Amino acid sequence: MRPLALTGLGIVSPLGVGRAAFFEALADPEQAARQAFEPTTEILLDSLPDAHTAEIWGWDPAHWLGKKGHRSFDRLTKFLIVAAKHALEDAGLKEGGEFLHLSPAEVGICSATAYGSLDAITELNRVAELEDPRYINPTRFPNTVINAAAGYVSIWEDLRAPNTTVVDGNCGSLDAFLGCATHLACGRARAFLVGGGEIVSEPLYLAMHHLGLLRDERGIGLIPSEGASYVVVEPSEQARARGATIAAELLGYGTHFEPPRSEALLAHASSTSVELAILGALGDAGLEPSAIDAISSSQSGLEELDAAEREGIVAALGPDVPILAPKLVLGESFGAAGAFGVASALGWMQGLPMAPRVGGRAPSSPPRHVVVTAVGYYGNVSAIVLRSGDRP
Amino acid sequence: MTRVFITGLGVVSPVGIGVDAFGAALEAGQTGAAEIAHFDHSAFERHIACEVKGFRPRDHLTAAETRRAGRCSAMALAAARMAVEHSGLSPERLQGERTGVIIGTTMGEADVLGELESAWLHQGNHAIEAVKIPRYGTTLLPIHVARAVGARGMVQTLPAACAAGNYAIGFAADQIRAGRADVMLTGASEVIEKLQFAGFVRLGAVSPDCVRPFDVGRKGLLVGEGAGMVVLESEAHLVRRGGVPIAEVGGYGLACDAHHITRPHPDGEGSLHAMREAIRTSGLLPEQVDFINAHGTGTHANDRVEAKVIAEIFGSHRPAVTSIKSMLGHCMGAASAIEAVSCVLSITRGLLPPTINIEEVDADCAHLDLVLDRTREGRADVVLNNSLAFGGYDAVLALAKPGLLPDPAEVLA
C-alpha cells in the first residue's frame, strides 16, 4: 500500500470529546478506567437499572453543534458530525465551516458501524407496535437506514466525494481504511474522513445481556461503549505540500475470515484469523514482524476471544511485542472500536503512557510502528499498520 | 491492472427465483406486485408490494444454514449459490483467502430485529429469545456466504441504501484490480419489513397500485425485496481455469449530493458526476453507451432528475433506457444488484426489458428513448446501471460485453 497520511483527529469518547480531552484522559489510564465506566444515566433506565456502560457522559449536542438544524438527527449522527467537524479542523482542511484546503467535491467519508442507529429503530418500533404504525414520524424514518448517519455528516460538512459505510462487526472501522485507500488510489477523492461510530442502546444492551456477554462480578465480559472517531486520511505528499502535520501514516491493511470448526457454531474465536490478518497487513506495509513496536489490540474482557487474539498476535509477532488494550479504558464500542484503537495509538506515538498492557514486554519509548487489530465474533479479523509521523 | 469479469449470476426476485425464471419474466413484462402477504397491512392506506413468492430457504440452504440465517441472509446465500454454480467454479478454486465476499443492503435482517423488538415491547425482557439474537447482525450477510463456499478473504457488508448493489459490485471489482483478491462473490440483499414499509408510506412515497416510472401520472414506488449476486474473477484466474466470461465490469462512479437525506439534488449534481465517472473510468465516450438501466423509482423527484442527468450527459445520442422497477418494485439495497443481473442478461441476449405501466410519458422525460411495454431487441454491448439512494448517494456501474472495453491499466494509469 502507498503510505497515506493521518492529518487530523476528531473523537467523541467516554473519556472526553476532542483530541485534547481524549489525550489528557489517556495520560492517566487508571483514572480513565474509573472515569469511563459508570451506571448508565439516561439510556437504559427502563430495563436493567444496574446496567454499567461507557457512555458519552453529559452529552450536550447543542454545545458542539449549536441549537438549530439537528432536531431530527439521532445520537449516532450527532456523534459522527462532531467527530467529523473536529477532524476536519484538526487537519487544517476547514475552519469556521469554510474549506481552507481542498473543496467539497474532493473530500469523502469512509465510515463504519456495527449496529447503526438501533435507538432510532426502537423509537419508531415503539410507536408502530404500541400505538399505530401510521403515527411514526417520517422525519425520523431515514435514521433507521444504516448509512443515513454518515449521509448526514456529508450534508452538515458539505462533503460531496464518495460517502461509504461499512459493517463488519468489530472490524468495520479498520475496514474503512481499506475503503479510503481504495478510493484514493482510484482518484475518487483527495481526502477522506475515516473511522466510525456506535451508540449504546437499550436493545443492544439487552442483546448482550441475553447472550451473557456483559462484564460480571469477576470482571469477565465486556462493557458496552459508544462514541465516534474520525481521522483525516490523505496522500502523504499532498499533506506535506499543504504544510499539514502528519500524526501518523497508514502503511498496510490485512484481513482474514476463518469459519468455525463446527457447523453448529456461529460465533467463535480464531487465532488463525488474527495471525493472518496481522501478517497480511505487514505484507501490505512491506515490514517484517520485528519492526512492530506495539499492538493496539481488541482485548475487551471476553475470555475466549481475548485468548485467541493474544495467541494470534504471538504467532505473528512473537511474545515480546507490548499488547495494549484500549477497550479496558474505553469499553467495547464495536464498529467504532478500531477507530478508538487508532486514536489511542496516535496518543502513544506522542508519548502518552502505553497502557493498559495485557501482554508482551514493557515499552521503553513511544512506538514507531503500531499494529491496530479488530477481532470480530465470527472469525473475521482486520488489522492495519501505522507509522508515527511528525507530531511531537 | 487486470480486467474483471462476471462469470456467474444468481437472483432471487419478486418475478422469479433463478436467472432463467427471472429473465423470462422480465422479457414477458410480468409484474411482481401483489397484496402484501408477509405482515398485517390493514392499518395502512397502501397494500401492494413486490414480495418474493415461494422462496423456501431449504431449497437452497442446508439445515444448519437455514437455522443460522435470517431471510435476508438466506436470499443472499441462495443467490450466491446459484451464481457459483453458473460460473462453473469448482469448490477448490473458491476456498482460501484469495476469495472474498462483499454484500450490500439497506437494513439487513430487519425482519429479525422487528420480531425481537415486537416480543420485547409487548411482553418485556423475558420474551426475548436469545437464540434468535445472533441472526440479526448485518455483519452476517457475507459471513454466511463465505462459510458456504470456503472463502477466507475479506467479508464486508456495505449498507449503501438503494445504491448498495452498485457499491458492492464496484468495490469488489476494485479489490480484484488492486490485486487483493482473485474471486469475489458480491451483490446485495434486502427484505420487506413492516416498519420500513410504514416509513415509506409515511414519506408519501408508495404508489397505491403499480409503478409507472417516467409517466406523467406516476404516484410513487412499490417496496420490493430479493437478492442479486454475481461472481467476479480476475482475467488471469479465469484464463487459468479455462472459464468463460459472461460480461466485463467497467468503471464505476460514486458521489454524494450532500443536499438532502432522502431527496436527490434537484440539478442532479452528484448523479451527473457519478455517471460521467462511470463512463470515463471505463475508457468510454458517452456515445458508446447502448443502454441504461435507470434507477426509475416512479417518484416525481427521482425520475425528473434522472431524465435531466441523462439528457445532459448524452445530448443527441439517445441510449435506450428502461426501469425494471416497473416490474420488480424497488428492492432497495438489493435493487441495483438485481438490476445488474438484468443488465448482464441484456448484454448476453441482446434483449432490453420493458418499462411497463406507462400510459403517457412525462414531458420532462420525453427525450428518453424508453423501452415501452414490450421487450425490445437491441444492442446492449455497453450498459450503465444507475442508482441513487438515501444519504444522497449516487452510484453508476458500467458493464460490457467481454473484451470490448479498453485495457483498464491504460484507462486508469
Side-chain angles (χ1 to χ4, degrees):
Chain A
M1 176 185 288
R2 197 169 130 209
L4 297 169
L6 278 60
T7 54
L9 170 65
I11 185 162
V12 176
S13 84
L15 297 181
V17 177
R19 182 161 64 90
F22 178 70
F23 284 176
E24 189 181 326
L26 277 194
D28 186 349
E30 288 183 13
Q31 169 61 22
R34 287 195 294 274
Q35 178 184 336
F37 305 134
E38 296 284 348
T40 185
T41 59
E42 57 181 295
I43 300 174
L44 304 159
L45 293 176
D46 294 347
S47 297
L48 299 166
D50 60 344
H52 276 60
T53 57
E55 291 172 19
I56 310 304
W57 307 109
W59 172 243
D60 176 15
H63 175 74
W64 303 102
L65 301 173
K67 289 186 176 170
K68 292 186 176 175
H70 52 81
R71 192 173 57 178
S72 62
F73 297 175
D74 57 29
R75 190 172 174 89
L76 175 61
T77 300
K78 290 170 189 169
F79 288 170
L80 290 178
I81 289 177
V82 173
K85 184 174 184 296
H86 288 179
L88 291 166
E89 289 174 356
D90 192 40
L93 287 181
K94 289 184 88 172
E95 190 178 283
E98 301 296 321
F99 277 90
L100 302 178
H101 296 278
L102 307 183
S103 66
E106 293 174 322
V107 184
I109 300 176
C110 291
S111 199
T113 185
Y115 302 102
S117 299
L118 264 181
D119 59 340
I121 295 173
T122 301
E123 171 196 319
L124 297 192
N125 262 335
R126 270 188 211 282
V127 175
E129 291 289 333
L130 304 179
E131 297 176 48
D132 189 316
R134 290 171 297 184
Y135 299 160
I136 67 168
N137 182 347
T139 68
R140 305 283 285 181
F141 173 60
N143 297 338
T144 66
V145 175
I146 298 171
N147 66 297
Y152 278 121
V153 178
S154 276
I155 294 170
W156 190 273
E157 290 295 337
D158 194 15
L159 308 178
R160 302 180 208 171
N163 178 314
T164 71
T165 296
V166 59
V167 172
D168 184 11
N170 302 341
C171 309
S173 48
L174 297 190
D175 294 339
F177 283 90
L178 173 69
C180 161
T182 300
H183 296 310
L184 285 176
C186 292
R188 297 187 183 115
R190 295 181 66 192
F192 278 94
L193 287 166
V194 183
E198 208 72 72
I199 53 160
V200 170
S201 65
E202 199 166 25
L204 182 59
Y205 194 91
L206 281 171
M208 298 293 150
H209 168 72
H210 280 277
L211 293 172
L213 300 176
L214 297 174
R215 188 163 297 179
D216 60 21
E217 59 280 1
R218 297 169 299 158
I220 295 170
L222 59 80
I223 292 184
S225 170
E226 64 178 2
S229 181
Y230 282 127
V231 289
V232 170
V233 179
E234 56 187 310
S236 298
E237 56 274 28
Q238 173 184 298
R240 291 192 185 94
R242 70 177 184 86
T245 302
I246 296 176
E249 286 183 295
L250 172 70
L251 300 182
Y253 165 87
T255 190
H256 190 82
F257 168 71
E258 197 71 21
R261 290 193 178 91
S262 165
E263 262 296 289
L265 291 174
L266 185 57
H268 74 114
S270 170
S271 59
T272 303
S273 274
V274 175
E275 179 186 357
L276 294 179
I278 292 172
L279 292 177
L282 288 176
D284 203 29
L287 292 175
E288 295 297 323
S290 57
I292 301 305
D293 304 306
I295 285 260
S296 180
S297 76
S298 191
Q299 302 279 298
S300 67
L302 295 174
E303 277 187 314
E304 193 183 348
L305 215 66
D306 289 354
E309 186 187 23
R310 290 194 301 272
E311 188 182 329
I313 290 170
V314 169
L317 302 175
D320 294 335
V321 177
I323 302 174
L324 306 166
K327 288 179 186 177
L328 298 187
V329 294
L330 282 160
E332 174 57 90
S333 57
F334 309 102
F340 282 171
V342 169
S344 302
L346 296 181
W348 303 328
M349 287 171 174
Q350 287 192 31
L352 293 176
M354 295 171 68
R357 181 168 57 87
V358 296
R361 61 178 155 69
S364 56
S365 58
R368 171 79 168 147
H369 292 108
V370 176
V371 168
V372 184
T373 54
V375 180
Y377 298 144
Y378 307 107
N380 49 323
V381 177
S382 294
I384 62 171
V385 182
L386 298 175
R387 177 171 65 200
S388 61
D390 316 324
R391 190 166 262 160
Chain B
M1 189 173 288
T2 179
R3 290 179 184 271
V4 178
F5 293 111
I6 293 176
T7 60
L9 305 173
V11 65
V12 176
S13 87
V15 297
I17 297 170
V19 170
D20 291 341
F22 173 69
L26 292 185
E27 285 169 27
Q30 289 178 8
T31 179
E35 187 174 333
I36 295 167
H38 273 88
F39 57 84
D40 176 9
H41 53 90
S42 57
F44 301 106
E45 58 200 32
R46 295 286 185 268
H47 307 281
I48 309 293
C50 295
E51 295 167 300
V52 172
K53 295 99 182 161
F55 176 71
R56 292 181 298 272
R58 276 296 277 128
D59 292 347
H60 311 273
L61 280 62
T62 66
E65 288 167 346
T66 304
R67 278 195 299 276
R68 290 196 297 261
R71 182 173 165 84
C72 189
S73 293
M75 291 198 293
L77 179 48
R81 279 225 163 86
M82 294 174 205
V84 167
E85 186 180 345
H86 190 201
S87 74
L89 274 164
S90 64
E92 299 76 37
R93 287 200 173 272
L94 285 167
Q95 287 167 7
E97 58 188 1
R98 297 292 297 170
T99 301
V101 185
I102 296 180
I103 297 182
T105 190
T106 298
M107 297 170 78
E109 304 283 13
D111 55 344
V112 176
L113 180 62
E115 197 180 324
L116 286 164
E117 290 216 326
S118 179
W120 166 47
L121 292 169
H122 285 289
Q123 301 170 56
N125 296 349
H126 67 279
I128 297 172
E129 291 181 68
V131 70
K132 288 185 179 172
I133 293 171
R135 293 170 67 161
Y136 167 62
T138 310
T139 309
L140 287 166
L141 268 63
I143 299 274
H144 290 305
V145 174
R147 281 184 69 159
V149 303
R152 306 278 171 102
M154 67 182 64
V155 284
Q156 291 189 12
T157 302
L158 294 185
C162 305
N166 275 348
Y167 265 70
I169 297 170
F171 191 67
D174 281 341
Q175 301 315 309
I176 293 177
R177 288 197 192 97
R180 292 183 181 273
D182 295 327
V183 181
M184 296 293 291
L185 272 68
T186 182
S189 186
E190 198 75 64
V191 292
I192 292 176
E193 191 267 339
K194 188 176 176 182
L195 179 66
Q196 156 227 77
F197 182 78
F200 278 108
V201 171
R202 290 288 285 134
L203 286 174
V206 179
S207 169
D209 45 25
C210 65
V211 188
R212 299 180 178 85
F214 308 110
D215 189 283
V216 69
R218 61 190 183 274
K219 294 176 181 172
L221 55 81
L222 289 179
V223 178
E225 64 178 357
M229 292 290 293
V230 298
V231 175
L232 304 185
E233 285 182 71
S234 70
E235 184 173 26
H237 189 270
L238 187 66
V239 168
R240 266 201 310 274
R241 75 175 180 98
V244 180
I246 303 171
E248 182 169 353
V249 181
Y252 74 115
L254 300 177
C256 184
D257 287 346
H259 167 70
H260 190 276
I261 200 68
T262 59
R263 289 197 297 270
H265 190 286
D267 294 329
E269 277 184 15
S271 189
L272 271 167
H273 177 77
M275 196 170 284
R276 285 191 176 119
E277 281 298 289
I279 296 168
R280 183 188 70 79
T281 57
S282 301
L284 296 168
L285 297 170
E287 50 267 34
Q288 292 173 280
V289 174
D290 300 314
F291 177 45
I292 298 174
N293 180 82
H295 191 57
T297 55
T299 61
H300 280 274
N302 175 87
D303 295 1
R304 188 173 54 243
V305 168
E306 197 171 9
K308 184 177 187 298
V309 165
I310 291 171
E312 192 158 334
I313 289 180
F314 293 97
S316 59
H317 172 61
R318 297 175 72 224
V321 176
T322 202
S323 168
I324 62 171
K325 288 188 178 74
S326 59
M327 295 178 271
L328 299 172
H330 193 344
C331 300
M332 298 170 285
S336 52
I338 295 173
E339 290 163 23
V341 173
S342 171
C343 289
V344 174
L345 292 180
S346 290
I347 289 168
T348 58
R349 298 176 181 183
L351 297 172
L352 315 182
T355 307
I356 65 169
N357 302 325
I358 291 187
E359 293 174 357
E360 180 186 352
V361 176
D362 188 333
D364 287 341
C365 311
H367 57 280
L368 300 178
D369 177 17
L370 289 167
V371 182
L372 295 174
D373 297 330
R374 294 175 190 284
T375 291
R376 182 195 296 178
E377 287 186 28
R379 192 171 67 183
D381 290 351
V382 177
V383 180
L384 295 183
N385 191 27
N386 193 30
S387 58
L388 297 88
F390 273 24
Y393 285 24
D394 306 285
V396 185
L397 178 70
L399 300 164
K401 191 164 274 190
L404 189 144
L405 296 175
D407 186 341
E410 293 173 14
V411 174
L412 300 174

